[in-house]
Amino acid sequence: MAIDKWEIVIGCEIHTQLLTKTKAFCACENRYGGMPNTRVCPVCLGLPGAMPRISKGYVELGAVAGQALNCNIARFTKFDRKHYFYPDLTKGYQITQYDIPLCTDGHVDLPMAKLPKEQQFGGEKCRTKNFIGQDCIIDNGKYRRVRVERIHLEEDVGKSLHLQGAHSYIDYNRSGTPLIEIVTKPDMTSPEEAALFMETVQEILRYVKVTNGNLEEGNMRCDANINLNVWEDGKLYHTPISEIKNLNSFRVIRDACTYEAKRQLEEFINDRQEFNPGFKVTMGWDETKQQTVVQRTKNSFVDYRFVVEPDIKPFSVSEELISRAGSKVGELPEAKRNRFKKEYGLSDFDVETLTSSRELSLWFEEAAKGAKDVKKVANWILAELLAVLNEKNETISDVKITPAHITDLVNIIADGKISSAQGKTVFAEMLSTNKMPSVIIKEKGMEVVSDGSAIEAIVDKVIAANPKAVEDFKGGKTNVIGWLTGQVMKESKGKANPKMASALVNEKLSKL
């Protein structure tokens, strides 16, 4: 028996906390951090007799996420109880959604250019068992489509704290925090695709202001379900599915899936382990050892004993809510990148940075509206403004100047009223005082002199004062033109129009 080939099959479950003001089913504040167990109440602690109520905005934010990921939104849905026992789940069950989730049948398109070159295939059929006969490579090979099976609403659990010593502690501040769980079809065929999927989802959901998406704070986490297709002597086998829990960085997703794929292949070769639809192994990732470790096994979903949540009635989702949620989605980052490249002629690097947040992209577009040179607007934002913000550890939301400041500066330089070098001085003053560039230039008397006779007089003076430079020019050293132009700018204290100065120097030297 010999293995002909093998491939990876991955489906993801992403848990994302929502940006509601309160928790899912009570009035406790929804906020990260703080003193443990200070933002709790009988409802989120699951005390006897406490009655949950759906908090305002919870369902709507879920609908926003669903539409951003191209899902259908249910007009009727309900909550269920999922029973399991875990130290940080106080009541012994989790309020979630089982058979009627809020969102279904969506998709996320992964930009192939962000994958390693060997994975950027196009035009062929997707190779996983779920995609036989279906094209998942779309738009002439630019994107790989990952199907979203469902997005359902649920509450988060508490957080276990394992401190040094013999004791563990539990902080229930997180208990009851509103979550969505995004469940994909097993459409990813590499660890890199799984990491890119989570990165893309994070970007989209941040754009539509559904979540902070901070992996380091745990308000976005990924469970990767992974197994292998193995062809041996012409016959196809499937290895058992492993669910790797709580992966909290893109690097960890890649590392954990890469290791688990190799482990499963070795297990198949040595022990002939094959897929069983009622069996799944839950794995953790040991960062120190760089390997997956078994946490528990699941024999079936019967273990969870799903029942309809008796304390929350099934409810209808209004067309008004769905429409309002859709209006909050707007243009998503990948569509915006493509438009910026086409409409403004910007590079891939420029559009990647300018669309890194919704606020920055909107700020740029506002500045570009009345600008005579949009590429220069992008350059001032990328090279100058963002450098200052990064140094101060601030974002575009913190900046005091407006897009109109950049527009004014770009247009003034384009009109030749000041030089680019002077523009940097104006830019610094603009950040310091919030004054418009035109006001700063007038106050400081910086406007470029474009009077031909005035510049010609300075050029004559500079040429007369530098006979050696003239002889060098006659000897074929044309770089003298630039040096003499610099002397003209120095003599005029930077006010001479540099283009006119250079042209006049060249003209005068050519006649000598």
Side-chain angles (χ1 to χ4, degrees), residues 6 237 252:
W6 61 279
Y237 298 88
V252 166

Side-chain angles (χ1 to χ4, degrees), residues 11-18 61-62 65-66 68-71 101 103 106-108 146-154 179-185 188 197-198 200-202 204-205 210-211 219-225:
C12 287
E13 300 171 9
I14 295 180
H15 296 80
T16 302
Q17 293 179 358
L18 301 181
L61 275 187
L69 301 186
N70 304 292
C71 292
C103 314
H107 64 265
V108 174
V146 175
R147 294 171 295 171
V148 175
E149 180 179 299
R150 58 188 279 146
I151 301 176
H152 60 261
L153 306 173
E154 64 184 20
L179 283 177
I180 52 173
E181 181 175 347
I182 303 163
V183 182
T184 78
K185 297 285 190 181
M188 288 157 275
F197 174 77
M198 188 173 185
T200 305
V201 168
Q202 181 198 54
I204 291 171
L205 296 187
V210 163
T211 182
N219 59 34
M220 179 177 274
R221 336 186 264 283
C222 179
D223 301 340
N225 291 275

Side-chain angles (χ1 to χ4, degrees), residues 33-52:
M35 186 176 292
N37 300 315
T38 55
R39 295 193 303 280
V40 294
C41 72
V43 174
C44 55
L45 289 176
L47 299 183
M51 293 292 289

Side-chain angles (χ1 to χ4, degrees), residues 309-357:
E309 169 56 62
D311 294 333
I312 302 176
K313 292 181 180 180
F315 58 96
S316 297
V317 181
S318 69
E319 295 297 334
E320 181 187 1
L321 183 147
I322 295 171
S323 176
R324 190 166 60 245
S327 69
K328 294 180 179 179
V329 173
E331 187 179 40
L332 294 176
E334 184 64 14
K336 196 178 289 289
R337 280 191 282 269
N338 290 331
R339 182 170 62 81
F340 279 11
K341 283 189 283 189
K342 183 177 180 180
E343 192 172 322
Y344 301 126
L346 300 177
S347 68
D348 288 341
F349 174 81
D350 288 349
V351 299
E352 284 288 339
T353 307
L354 289 170
T355 60
S356 58
S357 75

Side-chain angles (χ1 to χ4, degrees), residues 29 31-39 161 171-174:
E29 183 186 9
R31 175 169 60 85
Y32 174 78
M35 186 176 292
N37 300 315
T38 55
R39 295 193 303 280
L161 306 172
D171 178 7
Y172 288 113
N173 280 344
R174 195 174 72 178

Side-chain angles (χ1 to χ4, degrees), residues 22-33:
T22 62
K23 291 186 180 180
F25 304 110
C26 66
C28 291
E29 183 186 9
N30 177 23
R31 175 169 60 85
Y32 174 78

